[in-house]
């Protein structure tokens, strides 16, 4: 997992969000997908995006088109290009909106209730599928590692690692369509979460719920996996409504 050391983002982590684009809208769809990578924190601030050759191959676009996409992201202050042996395209650290007008604008553009409901449906579905289908040894190890990363996270990096935990659960569900749609809705949820403070007590509660979800999944208890995930989503929803409604 890439930290703020400049290490390139793991392609395995990016696969749920990066896929070949459709002919005709290559630039626009590639921009949308790489924006999701940045908004989800799959490559953290200070981290390097995969090499142009790899990114272009994953997206099914030319390197010329990819460079046009990266130029837009650079103009928007989201990434920067560095030359030299250790160069590449690096994601710039994100900051939440300090301007209250920006916060109101961001919230006004989102149907919060719809986003929260869709998130709950996808997350409970993913947890239920993981439990009912069962995970092989590799899948179980991936889920345990994702959970451990959230337990070990420093506060500034918590939301990124929390996102990776939930993305892992969605990917392990066995439904690529579910994983893709979850990545999209999670990016919107993260934009909203950036508008509210990190509350230590809430994070501790979330960690207990994460652990309970993993235990239910590994025990093959679909009902418990869905119930705990639903409760977890409801807690986040309550915070967002409280701060942003």
């Amino acid at each position: 997992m890439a930290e703020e050391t400049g290490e390139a983002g793991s392609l395995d982590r990016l696969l749920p969000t990066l896929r070949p684009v459709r002919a005709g809208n290559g630039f626009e769809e590639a921009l949308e997908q790489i924006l999701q990578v940045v908004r989800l924190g799959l490559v953290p601030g200070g981290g390097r995006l995969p090499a142009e050759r790899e990114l272009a191959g994953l997206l099914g676009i030319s390197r010329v088109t990819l460079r046009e996409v990266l130029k837009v992201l650079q103009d928007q202050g989201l990434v920067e290009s560095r030359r030299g042996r250790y160069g590449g395209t690096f994601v710039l650290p994100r900051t939440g909106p300090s301007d209250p007008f920006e916060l109101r604008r961001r919230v006004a553009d989102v149907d919060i209730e719809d986003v929260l409901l869709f998130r709950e449906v996808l997350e409970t579905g993913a947890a239920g599928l993981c439990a009912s289908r069962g995970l092989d040894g590799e899948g179980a190890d991936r889920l345990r590692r994702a959970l451990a990363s959230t337990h070990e996270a420093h506060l500034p990096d918590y939301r990124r690692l929390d996102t990776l935990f939930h993305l892992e659960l969605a990917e392990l569900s066995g439904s690529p369509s579910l994983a893709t749609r979850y990545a999209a809705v999670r990016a919107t949820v993260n934009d909203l979460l950036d508008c509210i403070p990190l509350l230590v007590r809430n994070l501790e509660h979330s960690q207990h719920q994460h652990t309970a979800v993993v235990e239910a999944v590994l025990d093959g208890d679909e009902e418990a996996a869905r119930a705990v995930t639903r409760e977890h989503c409801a807690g986040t929803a309550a915070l967002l409504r409280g701060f942003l409604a």
Side-chain angles (χ1 to χ4, degrees):
M1 184 180 299
E3 301 295 339
E4 281 86 341
T5 60
E7 181 184 351
S10 166
L11 285 178
D12 289 341
R13 288 295 188 191
L14 306 187
L15 286 177
T17 55
L18 297 181
R19 58 200 178 279
V21 301
R22 293 170 293 184
N25 292 315
F27 171 80
E28 291 82 2
E29 291 191 13
L31 178 59
E32 176 188 16
Q33 291 187 44
I34 297 178
L35 273 170
Q36 272 194 14
V37 166
V38 173
R39 291 169 67 201
L40 287 167
L42 299 183
V43 178
R48 187 170 68 238
L49 290 172
E52 287 185 2
R53 173 180 53 80
E54 295 173 309
L55 266 182
L58 278 174
L59 294 166
I61 59 176
S62 70
R63 292 176 71 172
V64 172
T65 298
L66 177 63
R67 286 169 187 157
E68 293 174 349
V69 169
L70 296 177
K71 177 64 165 57
V72 171
L73 298 179
Q74 185 166 333
D75 289 346
Q76 294 299 310
L78 299 173
V79 303
E80 68 176 4
S81 178
R82 302 177 193 169
R83 298 182 180 274
R85 182 178 178 184
Y86 299 105
T89 301
F90 291 79
V91 175
L92 294 174
R94 294 187 66 192
T95 57
S98 57
D99 182 352
F101 293 103
E102 164 62 14
L103 188 154
R104 293 192 194 102
R105 183 202 62 77
R106 184 181 292 187
V107 173
D109 289 344
V110 175
D111 185 336
I112 296 177
E113 291 303 324
D114 181 60
V115 168
L116 296 177
L117 180 60
F118 193 39
R119 179 214 180 184
E120 180 182 320
V121 168
L122 293 177
E123 285 203 20
T124 56
L129 283 170
C130 287
S132 64
R133 295 174 67 251
L135 301 181
D136 60 18
E138 180 186 357
D141 287 343
R142 284 170 55 186
L143 191 57
R144 290 190 187 99
R145 285 196 298 270
L147 176 64
S149 294
T150 63
H151 282 298
E152 298 163 2
H154 296 296
L155 197 61
D157 207 28
Y158 179 82
R159 280 186 177 150
R160 182 179 71 86
L161 295 173
D162 172 63
T163 296
L164 291 175
F165 169 76
H166 287 287
L167 283 171
E168 192 77 84
L169 199 62
E171 188 178 357
L172 289 170
S173 73
S175 171
S177 294
L178 188 156
T180 298
R181 285 164 176 77
Y182 180 71
V185 77
R186 181 69 194 210
T188 302
V189 169
N190 282 3
D191 280 346
L192 296 175
L193 288 172
D194 282 345
C195 296
I196 70 174
L198 283 165
L199 306 176
V200 173
R201 184 167 182 178
N202 167 250
L203 299 187
E204 291 173 348
H205 185 214
S206 292
Q207 286 302 98
H208 288 304
Q209 292 172 329
H210 288 164
T211 301
V213 170
V214 171
E215 290 175 350
V217 166
L218 297 182
D219 288 342
D221 190 337
E222 179 182 357
E223 183 177 349
R226 287 179 177 273
V228 177
T229 303
R230 189 174 295 109
E231 180 182 282
H232 177 63
C233 291
T236 303
L239 279 181
L240 287 171
R241 290 188 189 104
F243 277 102
L244 304 180

